[in-house]
Amino acid sequence: MGAIATNTVILGDCIESLKKLPSKSVDLVFADPPYNLQLGGDLLRPDNSKVDAVDDEWDRFDSFETYDRFTTEWMSECQRVLKDDGAMWVIGSYHNIFRVGAILQTLGFWILNDIVWRKSNPMPNFKGTRFTNAHETLIWAAKGRGSRRYTFNYDAMKMANDDLQMRSDWTFPLCTGEERLKDENGVKAHPTQKPEALLRRVILASTKPGDIILDPFFGTGTTGAAAKQLGRKYIGLEREEQYATLARERIAKVIPLTEADLETMGSKRQEPRIPFGQIVESGMLRPGDTLYCSKGERSARVRADGSLVIGDMAGSIHKVGAMIQSAPACNGWTYWHFKTDKGLAPIDVLRMKMRSSMAQLAA
Amino acid sequence: MGAIATNTVILGDCIESLKKLPSKSVDLVFADPPYNLQLGGDLLRPDNSKVDAVDDEWDRFDSFETYDRFTTEWMSECQRVLKDDGAMWVIGSYHNIFRVGAILQTLGFWILNDIVWRKSNPMPNFKGTRFTNAHETLIWAAKGRGSRRYTFNYDAMKMANDDLQMRSDWTFPLCTGEERLKDENGVKAHPTQKPEALLRRVILASTKPGDIILDPFFGTGTTGAAAKQLGRKYIGLEREEQYATLARERIAKVIPLTEADLETMGSKRQEPRIPFGQIVESGMLRPGDTLYCSKGERSARVRADGSLVIGDMAGSIHKVGAMIQSAPACNGWTYWHFKTDKGLAPIDVLRMKMRSSMAQLAA
DNA sequence: TTCTCACGTGAATCTGTAG
DNA sequence: ACTACAGATTCACGTGAGA
């Protein structure tokens, strides 16, 4: 086996390019394949502006069967190209991730974790028809069931998480602002650019310095940029010349980090927000229970969704508290009280209790 | 089709029992199928013979295939039993959720969301070989692609989340303590008992009071307990007699909420429609009155039939609102305002007044 | 200079009913 | 099947203009 060319972007069809790569030559694959979104018509926000949808030709497939065939092809080539101790990451959404995961298992990959990327700033569901789609899923899998020697930098991950084991749910913002590549008109250069922070965590967790990372859907080269920063090598495959060019220019500007830089990259944690509805869902309060103001003169009834009712007024603890006092605003957590053996206690006590039971959670 | 028996636990093989249920008879399916292929015993072939545990490399495929066949069978029966506007939830971990999701799509179910249950107190990864497996995944899917009338209580969910859209990541603790069912020796009665809070959110989000919820893997009856509490009906299928017995005892102790406590924030889409003409007919506004946009720069005149006029444009409050803004659509109720002592107020205020006076008439 | 506020936008399977 | 139209619907941030 000759030396493989690294730190390069290969222009061309991903499967064709994969076939030319030698077997057992890369340490990690990171793949961000088309999601096969199957969008309908236009989507308008409440302010009537249009959502810039992903309608690119590369994301359109005739059927699930076509998508599955495509997935099977690129993935089995990746499996061949991986070293025996290598591993693969694939990112996707509910549109494609289940097919991706099933195929990967069927091919013999051995799933190590599924990871949830919680977006701190997702796009809302404008029409109020579903839950806000606020996460994507990554699958981390070893080449085969027997591969016990995959790389996992346990201590680096623990360190990055304030000395707690890194969990399978990660919180990062979307790629926006400075980091988001723009064309000459200031329009986003690629519709699905991933945040570098996400890639850095993937790479720090599952590769060693000097490892070779293959990205078969390179796009604008986030994987390459993060790899270079962290002292790893990359091979990017990309079909669209404009993306490949952008990626090369982008990566050229990246300055590799020093050891010292890396140490300061720990993630910050913050107190999790507890909605009042969750207090009710948890059973700490029950629908039908009564809440009182501190003097006990005023009362309201709790409903199953966390709303309060007084007469024909209904709304959140804050809104109803404000209405009843004819005040512009009200902190419902301190205004409303519940009955205990020792008299009235503010519901904020319940929130603190809930917080402490969730103390382990990085927000 | 005769009335279906509800609030009952049916003992027996899940697929056999499903086949006896009438088509299009339930509103929601909640399924917590067996997760792990390797445990054996849990898995039955379609002919009810047991699958032997297999370690052999070459047998791996056979084992996935068996799981897939089992999944396809129970799931297509559920699809048949669901009403056309019904929906299904399935919960799983990375061991099985990808196969479950792919099969569900292939059967024609239409995924609405994938939901991440973040565990606030997961079991750590003791060996430090992977990320702490701190979540499970739920898939929420409509019966088919065309099913647009599935139930989603958007406003109740928004209320439960402090007036923000409910996201696709939910945080709940594991089922522990009092809630966890124990046998006579104090040992947990079921290995995978789900928290009631999780089920309550599922039920509150996607059913109406009185709906029928089918759980084909009933276990110790968390679905039934939550359903009874929330004024929904349940049908539980369970193979193991000891679980079925435990479930019946558990559910018998549950005290349902009263109708008043079950009430949640209602959807605006379901409120009775008031034509604008009726506001004019009632005298709340008079023909010839002027309406303004919120800033007061634009104005239109009200005509006797409830149409608006600006210059030579005339039409409904919505159409004229859209035209004047050159927008594709407009909600006239919130766009147009009328003059009061205290300044401009949206005409939606008048609609709310009208609605409440109509409600009093009905009562 | 610093703060405030309006505006733009992100992998989105995004309405319901009457005729 | 289709059309027409009433009317319901958004969160977190980054940027840049203006105070």
Side-chain angles (χ1 to χ4, degrees):
Chain A
M1 183 182 85
I4 188 171
T6 59
N7 298 335
T8 176
V9 186
I10 299 171
L11 192 65
D13 173 76
C14 129
I15 294 168
E16 295 309 309
S17 301
L18 278 168
K19 286 187 174 160
K20 290 177 193 153
L21 293 177
S23 300
K24 306 191 182 189
S25 55
V26 311
D27 298 285
L28 192 78
V29 171
F30 182 90
D32 182 8
Y35 287 9
N36 188 21
L37 285 187
Q38 304 182 252
L39 301 180
D42 285 348
L43 176 62
L44 297 181
R45 303 167 201 264
D47 65 3
N48 282 320
S49 66
K50 210 175 107 183
V51 172
D52 184 16
V54 178
D55 51 5
D56 305 69
E57 180 272 327
W58 50 255
D59 197 47
R60 285 196 286 267
F61 294 82
D62 294 339
S63 60
F64 282 134
E65 216 173 59
T66 312
Y67 187 81
D68 292 352
R69 207 158 38 226
F70 167 72
T71 304
T72 306
E73 264 195 274
W74 72 256
M75 218 177 251
S76 44
E77 281 304 314
C78 284
Q79 198 173 29
R80 179 185 62 77
V81 169
L82 269 178
K83 294 181 187 171
D84 285 341
D85 296 339
M88 177 170 74
W89 290 80
V90 192
I91 183 167
S93 66
Y94 68 83
H95 310 85
N96 71 324
I97 198 65
F98 302 113
R99 316 202 76 82
V100 160
I103 289 169
L104 167 159
Q105 287 180 308
T106 301
L107 287 176
F109 281 98
W110 191 246
I111 298 183
L112 299 168
N113 277 112
D114 59 334
I115 298 288
V116 175
W117 167 30
R118 300 176 66 216
K119 302 177 184 183
S120 53
N121 52 348
M123 187 161 15
N125 180 289
F126 294 115
K127 302 299 186 187
T129 56
R130 303 179 179 189
F131 298 97
T132 307
N133 191 5
H135 74 276
E136 295 187 22
T137 303
L138 299 97
I139 301 175
W140 176 40
K143 175 169 177 172
R145 180 170 187 170
S147 320
R148 297 251 160 82
R149 298 171 48 94
Y150 60 87
T151 298
F152 179 54
N153 301 313
Y154 176 77
D155 293 302
M157 286 296 101
K158 189 167 177 182
M159 187 110 66
N161 194 38
D162 284 356
D163 252 349
L164 293 176
Q165 286 193 348
M166 185 69 81
R167 299 165 40 110
S168 57
D169 54 319
W170 304 351
T171 307
F172 291 109
L174 296 169
C175 180
T176 59
E178 278 293 289
E179 190 185 320
R180 188 87 194 212
L181 296 181
K182 309 280 191 343
D183 66 14
E184 54 281 356
N185 305 315
V187 178
K188 62 183 175 189
H190 192 284
T192 71
Q193 187 181 339
K194 297 292 178 291
E196 284 188 18
L198 181 71
L199 268 291
R200 278 197 294 267
R201 182 168 296 173
V202 163
I203 291 172
L204 278 178
S206 59
T207 63
K208 296 190 259 298
D211 275 2
I212 301 176
I213 304 168
L214 168 66
D215 185 337
F217 306 96
F218 205 55
T220 49
T222 307
T223 303
K228 182 175 172 189
Q229 267 179 49
L230 297 173
R232 275 71 169 173
K233 297 172 190 146
Y234 67 89
I235 302 171
L237 314 183
E238 176 51 45
R239 200 174 60 173
E240 309 278 337
E241 184 151 13
Q242 81 212 62
Y243 294 153
T245 305
L246 268 170
R248 289 191 190 102
E249 291 169 2
R250 171 191 188 180
I251 297 168
K253 290 185 204 143
V254 170
I255 299 158
L257 295 174
T258 63
E259 292 274 338
D261 296 331
L262 288 179
E263 276 177 24
T264 60
M265 286 192 1
S267 67
K268 294 254 162 54
R269 296 192 297 141
Q270 61 187 48
E271 276 193 304
R273 189 176 59 85
I274 309 282
F276 180 67
Q278 199 165 343
I279 304 284
V280 183
E281 283 172 335
S282 76
M284 289 172 137
L285 287 175
R286 293 174 50 103
D289 282 355
T290 304
L291 297 185
Y292 306 86
C293 71
S294 61
K295 293 173 190 160
E297 317 143 324
R298 286 161 171 163
S299 66
R301 200 166 39 79
V302 175
R303 299 197 299 192
D305 58 354
S307 56
L308 294 191
V309 200
I310 308 181
D312 54 0
M313 285 193 299
S316 68
I317 52 172
H318 313 293
K319 263 189 187 153
V320 173
M323 281 196 289
I324 204 175
Q325 300 178 88
S326 308
C330 165
N331 181 346
W333 290 106
T334 52
Y335 181 76
W336 295 108
H337 296 63
F338 65 104
K339 272 197 178 149
T340 71
D341 320 339
K342 299 171 189 166
L344 294 176
I347 56 175
D348 207 21
V349 170
L350 302 175
R351 180 168 63 160
M352 290 188 293
K353 230 183 186 175
M354 170 87 52
R355 275 225 179 96
S356 76
S357 82
M358 295 186 175
Q360 298 195 14
L361 266 186
Chain B
M1 182 184 86
I4 188 170
T6 57
N7 298 335
T8 178
V9 186
I10 299 171
L11 192 65
D13 173 76
C14 131
I15 293 168
E16 295 309 310
S17 301
L18 278 169
K19 286 188 172 158
K20 290 177 193 153
L21 292 178
S23 299
K24 305 191 182 190
S25 55
V26 311
D27 298 287
L28 191 80
V29 172
F30 182 90
D32 182 8
Y35 284 15
N36 198 326
L37 317 184
Q38 320 307 329
L39 287 183
D42 245 350
L43 274 184
L44 292 183
R45 295 201 173 85
D47 61 359
N48 276 336
S49 64
K50 272 202 180 167
V51 177
D52 287 329
V54 275
D55 310 352
D56 312 64
E57 193 74 2
W58 62 265
D59 247 350
R60 190 184 50 231
F61 183 76
D62 178 52
S63 148
F64 279 134
E65 217 173 48
T66 309
Y67 187 80
D68 292 353
R69 208 156 41 221
F70 168 71
T71 304
T72 305
E73 260 198 279
W74 72 257
M75 220 178 252
S76 43
E77 282 304 315
C78 285
Q79 198 173 28
R80 180 185 62 77
V81 169
L82 269 178
K83 294 180 188 172
D84 285 341
D85 296 339
M88 179 169 74
W89 290 81
V90 192
I91 182 167
S93 69
Y94 69 81
H95 304 91
N96 70 327
I97 198 65
F98 302 114
R99 315 204 75 81
V100 159
I103 289 169
L104 166 160
Q105 287 181 307
T106 301
L107 287 175
F109 282 98
W110 192 244
I111 299 182
L112 299 169
N113 278 113
D114 60 335
I115 298 289
V116 174
W117 167 29
R118 303 173 68 211
K119 302 175 186 180
S120 52
N121 50 349
M123 178 114 55
N125 181 287
F126 292 114
K127 293 184 178 166
T129 55
R130 304 180 183 190
F131 297 97
T132 305
N133 193 5
H135 75 276
E136 294 187 24
T137 302
L138 299 99
I139 301 175
W140 176 38
K143 177 168 177 173
R145 178 165 189 171
S147 321
R148 301 180 95 165
R149 297 173 47 101
Y150 59 88
T151 297
F152 179 51
N153 300 314
Y154 175 76
D155 297 279
M157 284 297 103
K158 189 170 176 177
M159 177 54 62
N161 193 37
D162 278 359
D163 268 337
L164 293 175
Q165 289 191 340
M166 186 70 81
R167 301 168 36 118
S168 57
D169 54 319
W170 304 352
T171 307
F172 291 108
L174 292 168
C175 180
T176 56
E178 278 292 291
E179 190 186 318
R180 188 88 196 215
L181 296 181
K182 309 277 189 346
D183 67 14
E184 54 281 356
N185 305 316
V187 179
K188 61 185 176 187
H190 192 280
T192 66
Q193 187 181 339
K194 296 293 176 291
E196 285 189 20
L198 181 70
L199 267 292
R200 280 198 288 269
R201 185 173 293 176
V202 164
I203 291 173
L204 222 44
S206 60
T207 63
K208 297 187 265 293
D211 276 1
I212 301 175
I213 303 170
L214 168 68
D215 185 336
F217 306 97
F218 204 56
T220 48
T222 307
T223 303
K228 181 175 174 190
Q229 200 186 43
L230 296 174
R232 275 71 168 171
K233 298 170 189 145
Y234 66 89
I235 302 170
L237 314 183
E238 177 51 45
R239 202 177 56 177
E240 306 282 335
E241 184 150 14
Q242 79 214 60
Y243 292 154
T245 304
L246 267 171
R248 288 192 191 101
E249 291 168 1
R250 170 190 189 181
I251 296 169
K253 290 184 204 145
V254 171
I255 298 159
L257 296 173
T258 65
E259 210 166 299
D261 296 331
L262 278 179
E263 218 177 292
T264 56
M265 302 304 288
S267 160
K268 286 192 183 156
R269 289 191 171 99
Q270 285 168 11
E271 286 184 84
R273 273 176 49 173
I274 310 277
F276 180 68
Q278 203 170 328
I279 305 283
V280 183
E281 282 169 347
S282 76
M284 290 171 133
L285 286 175
R286 297 164 57 99
D289 282 354
T290 305
L291 298 185
Y292 307 85
C293 73
S294 62
K295 290 174 190 160
E297 314 144 326
R298 286 160 172 163
S299 65
R301 200 165 39 80
V302 176
R303 297 197 300 195
D305 61 352
S307 59
L308 294 191
V309 202
I310 308 181
D312 53 359
M313 287 192 298
S316 70
I317 52 172
H318 313 293
K319 224 177 193 173
V320 173
M323 283 195 293
I324 205 174
Q325 299 178 87
S326 310
C330 168
N331 183 343
W333 291 106
T334 52
Y335 181 74
W336 293 110
H337 296 62
F338 66 102
K339 272 196 177 150
T340 72
D341 319 340
K342 298 173 188 164
L344 294 176
I347 58 175
D348 206 21
V349 169
L350 303 175
R351 182 169 62 162
M352 289 191 285
K353 247 185 188 167
M354 171 80 62
R355 280 205 179 115
S356 77
S357 73
M358 286 171 64
Q360 291 201 354
L361 269 179

